Structures are given as C-alpha cells and as structure tokens.
Amino acid sequence: MSAPHTAESGTPTDPPADRITDPLARERGHLAASRTALRVMREDVQALDIRDVTANWVNAAVLQAQIDERIKALADLSHTPLFFGRLDFEHPVGGELAEGAEGERFYIGRRHVHDAHGDPMVIDWRAPVSQAFYQASRLDPQDVGLRRRFGYTGGELTAYEDEDLTTPAEAAGAGSGTTSKLLQAEIERPRVGPMRDIVATIQPEQDEIVRSELGGTICVQGGPGTGKTAVGLHRVAYLLYAHRDRLARTGTLVIGPNRSFLHYIEQVLPALGEMEVQQATVEDLVTKDVEVRGTDEASAALVKGDARMAEVLRRAIRSHVTPPTEEVVVVRGSRRWRVPAYEVEELVDELLARDMRYGAAHEALPQRIAHRVLVRMEEAGEAPDDRVQNAVARTPAVKAAVKAVWPAVDPAKLVLRLLSDPEFLAAHAEGLLTDDEQKAVLRTKPARSVKSAKWSTADAVLIDEARDLVERTHSLGHVVLDEAQDLSPMQYRAVGRRCSTGSATVLGDLAQGTTPWSTRSWADALGHLGKRDAHVEELTAGFRVPREVIAYASRLLPSIAPGLAPVESVRESPGSLAVRPVGDAGALVAAAVAACEEALEQEGSIGLIAADARVPALAEALATAGHAVLSPGEETSAASRLTLVPASLAKGLEYDYVVLDEPAAVVDGEPDERTGLRRLYVALTRAVSGLTVVHAAPLPEALAA
C-alpha cells in the first residue's frame, strides 16, 4: 500500500483533463466535473413542468412531492465528499476477462452521478460493481488492479492512497495487512455534530451484513465500537436501493432506545440520499392512542413485560365470547326465519377454532348467521342474493345476537380491568402468574376510566398487544431495531407485529443490557420477535474505542456477560486511558471539571458521563467555571463541544474524549450490581480518542485489579 499523496498549498488551475499530469490535480478535476454534472442533474429536475403530464390536481401533488424529494436527494453538500474511492479493474466489468480488453475505472461515492451523455461519473456505493471496493483483497482481488482512497479536508480533496491488488498476498510480505492510513484517519476524525455515515470505511464483514437479502432477518451482536448501529443504517440504505419499489409500498422504520439517540443518528440516512425512512422509539409505537403519565415499580414492570402476559390477555379477550342461549329470529316481510341456538353455537365454535382476530370474527359472525338464513330462504323457493345477505346481517335480531355472543371489546378497557380487578386477573392468569406476580401488577388505586388512568409504558405495550388481538397491526417491509438487548419480551412482540410479513435487522450487545428484563440470549429475543429463523452475526473487531480503553472495560465482561467474546480493537492509541483517584470526596466534582478542561484543549467532542444523581452538582460546577454545557441529543459544534450525560442516557452515544465521574456511583444507581456494572460498561466505552476516570470511592473489583 502506498503512502498517502497529499496536496501542496494553493489551488490548481483547470487545464484540459487529458493534459493534466499531476494525479492529485487530475482527481480534483474529476471531482469538479462531477459536482458540475450533479448540479446539472438537479437543475434538470427543477426545470420539469408537470402541468402537461398530470390529469388532475391529485396526480400533480403526488408528482410534485416526488420531484421535491428528488431535488433534495441531488443536493451537493459542500463538506461531504462526492466520492471517496476509485476502482481500476483489469478487464471490462462483465467482460469475463476478455483477452486484450482494457479495464474500466469507477469512482465510488454516496450517490450516482452521470454526465450529459448518461455515462457514470460517480457510482453509488450500493451498486453491485461497488462491492469490490469493500471486499477485494490481495487474496481475492476480484479483477481489481488498483484501489484508491481519497482524503478530504473541509470538502476539498487533499490526498489519495493507492493499494495495488495485483501483487500476490504472499509476495506482499507482512505489511500487506496494514490498515490504510487514510482509512485510519477517517475512523479517528474528530466527532463534532450528529453521527455520520461510515460509507467510506465499511469493512468486509460489515459489508456482508449490509448487503444481505431483504427476505431474511439478521441479528447483529456487536460490542462497543464495532459499528453495529452504522451497519444497520447502511443496510436500510442498501435495501432501499436494491428493493425501492417494494419498500416504497411497504415502508421502513428505524427503532431506537430514546429520542436523544434518534436525534444523534437522524442525519446518517439523508446523507446517503434516503429521506423517507421513519424513526421512532418503542414507546412511540405503542402510545399513539395512550398517554403515558405513570411509572411502574421494577417488580411490576418485570411481570408486565413477561411473554406470559400475552396469554393472559388472549384468555381475557376470549372470555367475552359466551354460548348462545336463544334462537335468532329474523323477520322479512311476512316471513320469520329462525336459526336455532345450537347452530349459532356451531358458528361460534368454528370461529374460535380458526383462532381469528377477535374483531375479524366479530365482523364475520353476523354474515355467517345471515348465510344460514339465506339457506333457509333458498330451501323455501326464494332466490336471495348477496344484497339480501348483507341486509339480514344488519337486522336488529342479528345485531342483538352478535352483541350477546361476541361483543365488541375495547383494548384499553380490557387492560384496565385486568390491572384493577383481582378476580378477573386471577381467572385469566391461573397457571401462568403466581399470586405474588398478580399482586405486583394490580393497581393499588383503580382508575375510574381509561382517560383518568395513569398508564405506564409497560401498560401501553399491553394495550398494544390487546389491540392486535382484536385487529391485526399493519406490517412494514423492513424494521431496524437498535439497542435491542434492553427490550422486554412484550416489547419484542410489539416490534415483531410491525414486521410480521416483512424482515428485520436486530442490533444489540448482550453485555450492555441495563433493564431488569434485558435479553439473556438472542435465541429467546428472536423467538419473541417472531423471527426464530433469523441469522445471528457477531462483530468482534472494534473500530471506535481505543485498544487500551476497551481492554479496561472488558475486565467487567466475566461478571456481566460470561462467555461473550471481548471486542478486539484495531486502534492502538497509547495513553488513551487515565484513571485518577481523588483522595477527598469533596474535591471530586472539581477534579471532574478539571479533566473536562484538559480534554477541551484537544480537538473534538467531550462527554462528561456521571451517575444521574450527580448530574445537578456537576452542571452547577461547570456553569460556575464558565463552560457552556449541552444536554444529550443537542448537536455539538466547534463553539459548544462539552455534553453532560446522565449514565442512563449514554447508550449509543460517542464522544472523542470522555470523562467518567465516580464509577461506583454509576453502579450504585441501579437496582442490582449486575445491572450497575453493565451501565458502567456502557459509560466506559463511549470514548473514541481518550477516557479519563476520576473517582474517590473504590473502583469495582474487576477494574481495581
């Protein structure tokens, strides 16, 4: 691999491309020409006149919306490289290595760009021909002779680095496996602002996951810094490219753990040209018709989140079905048509045996009763049609019979009754929940109505489950579920309903589970999701957290996730870890502020992570010291780079430099030691360049060793 070729100071002139001898100037020329071509593509779309091609205002509005989205997608972001790599093939692509044929050259970027003749100037990174940029190696060159990576500063192309893949791996020597310097620089580039894409640095094992087929569900177990979140987002972008029409009809959704996290990742897909992907938390999905105003004790939340509650709800809903006791008498004109009670019972039993949605069966029963009436009419010599059957189904007698036998059920009222009526709960939880578990979920002060009830998030999930038992939840084409290890079984079921006929990408790390119900195995989680046949991939190569830092945090793994492979960081950064004991607990806040001030002397973002209870004191101290402090989810900038992060919100975030205040307080802030150590593991692994730990209390035993 060649050393990076960098630019001299000054801006080159623009002679004709065929007369440029300086390789860097030639690449700059191609970049300028590509930007011009992109601008022309955008202007062509802006110039479209839809007045002559639309029949009505509805079509015009739809087409105009599509044009507006296309214009957004063709925006040229000045600080975002239009292309980041180049592939020089030995032979024409698709030419089956034809003798004597010249190879082809492709520039790889975030979106496709073509010239006035339709010839490609930049190839979309998701195109099949681009895969070699991520997968080709000396062991398997895939007909690539040379791979070139580009370095940028502030949107200006300033360097390139070549990798000759024609030299056999054994002849290249030990250095052939070294990481590209430009690749390393891109990974280590300071993080200011929201999360950015990793399209220029995707690794072969990540690319395999990104390009997996739409039909299958994939679960990615990845430790801190392995890029699992970025892989999931890039997989969405790839699937939208490869299956755009299908997913345009069925929809895609990214589910994150909280709003701060979603705000942090929200710019990744637009930067890749994808504007239409929705983002939500699990709470967003289940609270569209429920206002969450309450919280649960851990013991209650644990039971409410257990998969056994699904069967309790199913029993409770089915309990509304009662055997008929009277015949149905339908009057039409001067005739009376009778359906005996035993026949109605047969119809009810048939619907129960089919295990239909409760609401669908409620709609089907009047039609089935009406059909029995039509049979009697035909036997009497009449010739009724479908209109007569519909009329019979709407008669007061049939409506009354259905109301008595299969009444409508309101999901929220059902859940409220279950959580308020001990006898009703006991009847349907028999053999499923113990007496203590039933007591844990029962309300001490039953609410008078659904509107006055102080619902918790776990209650909303139960209502969502009940709603699905009544009426099928709409399924999307693909769902990405991040930080999945923290979901309860009932939350998994809620997500699974949103992709029951589609597929999912599940992302998480068992070692970072910090809820009382956190996932113990992916097999269990995928079963609750309804995707038992999902393929599980494990990412163990770390690209974000320095080796010294991840090794320090991994000392906790035997206690929090026995058997889980530690992350092996590819980044050596001596001096990236500092552990500073403070003799006087009263001086701890001052020590944390001093560590932040030291970190602010470096380039990039800084996160001060502390136990939630210690955040107010630290915020006051930072304000007194004159520092502007951001909250999680607020965008960092060159002027505001310091964020104060409660440990409970640190998951999924990353900062160039992290100061961790009092690890013992982070552990003590959780209901049990294992959860506390997992929370600490999360906090320890948020750093990209350096971690400073300040403490007055003794460190956990694994870290103190």
Side-chain angles (χ1 to χ4, degrees), residues 322-442:
T322 56
T325 57
E326 297 180 359
E327 65 179 358
V328 180
V329 180
V330 176
V331 179
R332 282 186 62 80
S334 61
R335 302 291 300 273
R336 291 175 179 268
W337 307 97
R338 301 176 185 276
V339 180
Y342 74 87
E343 285 194 27
V344 178
E345 187 171 2
E346 288 175 358
L347 296 175
V348 170
D349 290 343
E350 287 174 8
L351 291 173
L352 287 171
R354 291 187 60 185
D355 202 25
M356 298 171 63
R357 291 293 195 284
Y358 186 91
H362 175 79
E363 296 295 327
L365 183 56
Q367 290 290 335
R368 296 199 173 199
I369 294 173
H371 180 71
R372 293 293 177 99
V373 173
L374 257 66
V375 170
R376 284 164 170 73
M377 289 181 177
E378 290 170 348
E379 290 172 347
E382 296 189 16
D385 56 17
D386 290 344
R387 289 173 298 176
V388 174
Q389 178 169 321
N390 291 334
V392 171
R394 294 194 299 268
T395 58
V398 173
K399 285 183 177 180
V402 171
K403 184 177 181 180
V405 174
W406 204 296
V409 172
D410 180 278
K413 288 182 179 178
L414 176 84
V415 172
L416 183 60
R417 184 182 176 191
L418 266 178
L419 302 181
S420 306
D421 185 339
E423 293 183 1
F424 187 65
L425 176 62
H428 304 301
E430 184 179 359
L432 293 172
L433 303 181
T434 66
D435 291 343
D436 288 341
E437 288 174 326
Q438 292 178 40
K439 289 177 183 177
V441 300
L442 281 169

Side-chain angles (χ1 to χ4, degrees), residues 16 43 102 137 174 198 212-213 229 240 274 286 360 404 410 417-418 425 430 472 474 536 582 672:
E43 290 171 351
E102 266 187 48
S137 65
I198 63 164
S212 298
E213 283 303 310
T229 295
L240 286 169
E274 300 301 340
V286 300
D410 180 278
R417 184 182 176 191
L418 266 178
L425 176 62
E430 184 179 359
R472 182 182 297 277
H474 173 69
V536 180
V582 179
D672 59 83

Side-chain angles (χ1 to χ4, degrees), residues 524-542:
D524 290 344
L526 293 167
H528 296 311
L529 193 70
K531 306 291 183 184
R532 294 186 183 278
D533 57 347
H535 181 62
V536 180
E537 293 276 359
E538 186 170 6
L539 296 175
T540 57

Side-chain angles (χ1 to χ4, degrees), residues 557-572:
L557 285 178
S559 301
I560 62 177
L564 200 63
V567 172
E568 295 290 338
S569 177
V570 301
R571 296 181 54 218
E572 290 190 45

Side-chain angles (χ1 to χ4, degrees), residues 463-526:
I463 294 172
D464 189 72
E465 177 83 26
R467 188 182 295 116
D468 183 71
L469 289 168
V470 174
E471 183 178 355
R472 182 182 297 277
T473 303
H474 173 69
S475 174
L476 299 166
H478 192 77
V479 169
V480 173
L481 176 61
D482 204 355
E483 300 296 349
Q485 72 280 344
D486 280 331
L487 268 60
S488 70
M490 292 298 285
Q491 287 175 319
Y492 276 115
R493 291 175 62 88
V495 174
R497 288 191 282 278
R498 271 77 184 177
C499 56
S500 58
T501 59
S503 57
T505 300
V506 181
L507 313 166
D509 179 14
L510 297 178
Q512 295 186 59
T514 51
T515 55
W517 49 79
S518 57
T519 302
R520 294 183 178 273
S521 79
W522 290 122
D524 290 344
L526 293 167

Side-chain angles (χ1 to χ4, degrees), residues 19 83 124 139 168 205 211 275 284-285 300 321 337 342 344 355-356 383 400 421 431 477 535 594 603 648 659 685 692:
R19 291 170 51 191
F83 56 78
D124 194 302
L139 288 173
E205 63 273 22
R211 296 176 191 266
M275 310 289 182
D284 292 334
L285 298 179
V321 180
W337 307 97
Y342 74 87
V344 178
D355 202 25
M356 298 171 63
D421 185 339
H535 181 62
E603 186 180 5
S648 61
V659 176
T685 54
T692 300

